[in-house]
Amino acid sequence: MNPVRHDSLQLTTRRTFLNGAGQFSLGAIALQALQGKGSAMPPADNPMAPRVTPQAAKAKRVIYLHMSGAPPHLDLFDYKPELVKHDGQDCPDSILKGRTFAFTTGVPKLMGTPRSFKQYGKAGMWMSDACPNFHTIADEITMVRSMHTDQFNHAPAELLLFTGHTRQGRPSLGSWATYGLGTENQDLPGFVTLISSGTQPSGGQGLWGSGFIPSVYQGVQCRSKGDPVLYASDPAGMDRNMRRRTLDALRTLNEQQAAELGHPETITRIAQYELAYRMQMSVPEVMDISKEPASVIEDYGAKPGEASFANNCLLARRLVEKGVRFVQLFDWGWDFHGTSEATGITDGLTKKMSETDRPVAALIKDLKQRGLLEDTLIIWGGEFGRTPFREGRTAASKVLGRDHYPDCFTLFMAGGGVKSGFDYGSTDDLGFSIAENKVHVHDFQATVMHLLGFDHERFTYRFQGRNYRLTDVHGHVVKELLA
């Protein structure tokens, strides 16, 4: 068949007619039906418009502080006097049987923490001397000591935590949130990612990617030093008026294509071009922390003009204050194997925490003082835990380190509808297994979705013939964590 004639006929088929019949198209009919059931499906003309959630939301926005590499929870939060008592002894065979570790073989030695622990806050929350600024926010946080995951390597564990799956290609938590909620500021991205310590997380850009949902919902990586967003500036020889005329011409062409073919990525392309144009003015302003009072900069330990986790925490507050829906901070350097002084759980952990616990505590206090903590969910944690024994490769070293451990880890949350000054879950006396109130990463994801106003089982996106959700076919809301 003549290909030109075939294309012409294809545009007049029944399927094409129904697909492009405006408010009477199958897509529009389905959309209206879903909206009638409280769906958060985005409007076609503005995919980032703010939307009402199907159920009452306690959190309007999220700041996720991910310590990439997995912090040693046994040296920060999960105090085990029995493990200290048996320090240096061989691990019991009953505990090792059937377990596989990333870098440890044979029979490792149990290792009690060298850190000193005390109880803080009204609930008497155990914390170590490694995180002195966290002591001051004990009454603001919910500590979850019974997290567990399925993966003991960084990349798949991070992907599982942020996308619900161990392989690339699924939408991230932040993308699901912005897909369902839109954003409150149309001049800024709905989802922003900030990186510190000079290294991307092991899971890569998929941790803030949109997967198979429209790419308008993916995270925009910003920088705290230099141009805030790469490639957003006008190229040499093009002023703002010329950029506006160029975008107007591109918009006309894209609207024609959208009307003809109805592909959602065409709508995304229009929205992204327009957002990039608005961002040229709005992003440099919001990313300029030098405008903050000197006292606030000092509280965070930030240094304007530099790249740091402290700067990123202050930027996170500025971004959510301006209406950004989801801000995700990744800080590399938490892989405490003890292969160097920097990754040891004595001096190395002290130094790493001194760079991070101060700005986190300042962020939570700052949000509370501004009346934002109540509906801003803060999350701090890693992708898995660390072993209760010495890492095999460094067993003879003077530097103490721990191996990867998926069976137990700790994270904490604050604000956004969770209880304050609350301990949840526990591990056994040696820290090998969860003793009560297990929380899988899918349960954690379901709980975050609930706080944002979504039923994780019904909040889905259809792709390749089936409905997908963040939690795959797993997860339940941990209602005990809710305020």
Side-chain angles (χ1 to χ4, degrees), residues 44 356 427:
T356 53
T427 55

Side-chain angles (χ1 to χ4, degrees), residues 5-282:
R5 176 63 177 161
H6 177 262
D7 288 345
S8 176
L9 289 172
Q10 190 178 43
L11 294 177
T12 60
T13 62
R14 180 175 59 182
R15 177 178 297 176
T16 305
F17 170 76
L18 290 172
N19 190 52
Q23 62 177 320
F24 302 108
S25 69
L26 293 178
I29 293 169
L31 176 60
Q32 290 167 5
L34 286 168
Q35 287 176 330
K37 295 179 180 179
S39 170
M41 295 292 289
D45 58 339
N46 181 9
M48 294 302 292
R51 292 180 282 283
V52 177
T53 54
Q55 58 195 39
K58 294 186 177 181
K60 292 182 179 179
R61 61 197 76 85
V62 177
I63 299 176
Y64 199 124
L65 310 162
H66 182 66
M67 308 298 108
S68 190
H73 63 291
L74 292 166
D75 306 295
L76 292 171
F77 310 117
D78 202 4
Y79 183 41
K80 296 298 169 191
E82 283 297 308
L83 189 59
V84 174
K85 184 187 299 184
H86 296 286
D87 180 65
Q89 297 180 12
D90 287 348
C91 283
D93 291 339
S94 59
I95 290 176
L96 296 176
K97 188 176 181 180
R99 282 187 163 102
T100 302
F101 305 102
F103 297 100
T104 303
T105 57
V107 181
K109 302 290 186 181
L110 294 172
M111 185 170 69
T113 183
R115 316 296 314 203
S116 61
F117 274 75
K118 291 183 180 179
Q119 291 176 284
Y120 298 91
K122 296 176 182 177
M125 197 173 288
W126 285 102
M127 295 188 196
S128 83
D129 61 333
C131 51
N133 289 285
F134 285 169
H135 304 167
T136 67
I137 56 171
D139 287 331
E140 303 297 340
I141 65 177
T142 278
M143 189 78 74
V144 185
R145 304 180 187 275
S146 52
M147 291 293 303
H148 68 106
T149 182
D150 305 333
Q151 301 295 319
F152 64 79
N153 284 320
H154 297 294
E158 288 186 328
L159 286 166
L160 182 63
L161 179 64
F162 284 100
T163 74
H165 201 268
T166 57
R167 293 191 293 273
Q168 298 277 357
R170 298 289 182 93
S172 62
L173 176 59
S175 294
W176 279 110
T178 49
Y179 170 65
L181 296 168
T183 186
E184 295 176 327
N185 189 332
Q186 299 302 307
D187 294 335
L188 292 169
F191 177 17
V192 170
T193 293
L194 299 163
I195 308 291
S196 54
S197 297
T199 303
Q200 298 271 354
S202 299
Q205 296 183 2
L207 303 183
W208 57 91
S210 59
F212 44 71
I213 67 176
S215 56
V216 71
Y217 302 110
Q218 70 185 2
V220 174
Q221 185 178 344
C222 293
R223 304 186 302 169
S224 55
K225 184 177 182 180
D227 284 344
V229 182
L230 292 175
Y231 314 118
S233 302
D234 291 329
M238 176 179 281
D239 60 21
R240 192 159 177 81
N241 290 332
M242 185 181 293
R243 169 61 68 93
R244 182 67 267 169
R245 292 197 300 272
T246 302
L247 291 179
D248 288 342
L250 286 170
R251 183 185 184 97
T252 299
L253 293 172
N254 284 323
E255 285 175 342
Q256 290 175 358
Q257 186 180 63
E260 186 174 294
L261 301 177
H263 198 289
E265 279 300 303
T266 309
I267 303 298
T268 287
R269 192 182 307 132
I270 295 171
Q272 288 177 325
Y273 282 153
E274 292 300 322
L275 175 60
Y277 181 76
R278 297 191 300 271
M279 282 168 54
Q280 288 179 324
M281 302 296 290
S282 57

